[in-house]
Amino acid sequence: QLISVPGGKSGRLEIPGKVTQIADYAFSKCCSLTDIILPDSVTEIGELAFVSCSKLTHIRLPNGLKEIKRATFTGCSGLTHISIPDSVIRLDDNVFFKCTSLSEIELPSALKSIGNRAFSVCTNLRKIVIPENVATVGAVLFQECSDVTIYVKQETQPAGWEQNWNHLNFPVVWGYTGS
């Protein structure tokens, strides 16, 4: 398990292939890291693992990861794009909270659940495609976002979605067939 990364690290960091878990807050003091490569051996990433990694612009998430836990990327204000592996089925609460530069998120087709405020204060997010298998969605997903268009693969809102998931009434395109 990777418990903590020293705060003085900067630039690019590649985690060794023997690591299987990233602890809660493991990178919390790494505000100068710009690029993190996680090996496919990592199957669990703890809560707030990358909190306040404000200069992080790229992260390679491991294939085989099932869940992105609570507030994992909170305050990663330099992150502009993230590709989530196809293995991920759950995004917990506040996963991308205050990722203010994030303009593009690629959600995996296997995704089943999105937690409360998952994309709150992602002020540059303009488009998101919610996959067909998403059965549960938490409340106020896009709190303090400014101009998001939401493309949803389902024809209508599933019963497991909170009524106030889109509390700011951003445009929603139901039955979206694009990518």
Side-chain angles (χ1 to χ4, degrees):
Q1 178 179 19
L2 178 66
I3 295 175
S4 181
V5 175
K9 292 282 184 186
S10 63
R12 183 176 197 261
L13 180 63
E14 189 164 344
I15 303 303
K18 295 177 183 175
V19 174
T20 59
Q21 292 179 314
I22 306 293
D24 295 353
Y25 298 95
F27 290 84
S28 65
K29 296 181 177 105
C30 299
C31 58
S32 294
L33 282 176
T34 57
D35 189 6
I36 300 172
I37 309 297
L38 299 177
D40 287 339
S41 59
V42 172
T43 58
E44 184 177 336
I45 298 173
E47 294 183 356
L48 294 136
F50 304 100
V51 66
S52 300
C53 289
S54 58
K55 291 192 172 117
L56 184 66
T57 57
H58 175 261
I59 184 163
R60 185 219 174 259
L61 294 173
N63 293 314
L65 188 65
K66 296 287 184 208
E67 173 183 17
I68 298 180
K69 292 188 177 179
R70 183 181 66 85
T72 298
F73 295 102
T74 290
C76 291
S77 56
L79 200 60
T80 58
H81 170 267
I82 190 159
S83 182
I84 300 170
D86 288 336
S87 57
V88 172
I89 59 171
R90 176 174 167 73
L91 299 179
D92 210 341
D93 297 346
N94 300 306
V95 284
F96 296 107
F97 183 73
K98 288 191 178 179
C99 290
T100 54
S101 297
L102 194 61
S103 60
E104 187 177 350
I105 302 171
E106 293 177 32
L107 298 178
S109 60
L111 189 66
K112 294 180 180 178
S113 177
I114 301 174
N116 298 318
R117 297 170 306 282
F119 311 107
S120 289
V121 198
C122 290
T123 52
N124 277 318
L125 187 62
R126 297 293 174 254
K127 173 186 176 182
I128 188 165
V129 177
I130 299 180
E132 193 169 11
N133 293 321
V134 176
T136 59
V137 169
V140 295
L141 283 190
F142 304 101
Q143 182 178 1
E144 294 187 44
C145 292
S146 54
D147 189 23
V148 182
T149 300
I150 306 159
Y151 297 87
V152 184
K153 299 281 185 164
Q154 291 97 330
E155 293 291 329
T156 59
Q157 182 174 319
W161 290 30
E162 291 288 336
Q163 288 300 338
N164 63 341
W165 71 274
N166 181 18
H167 75 295
L168 296 174
N169 293 315
F170 288 118
V172 179
V173 177
W174 294 100
Y176 182 66
T177 58
S179 57

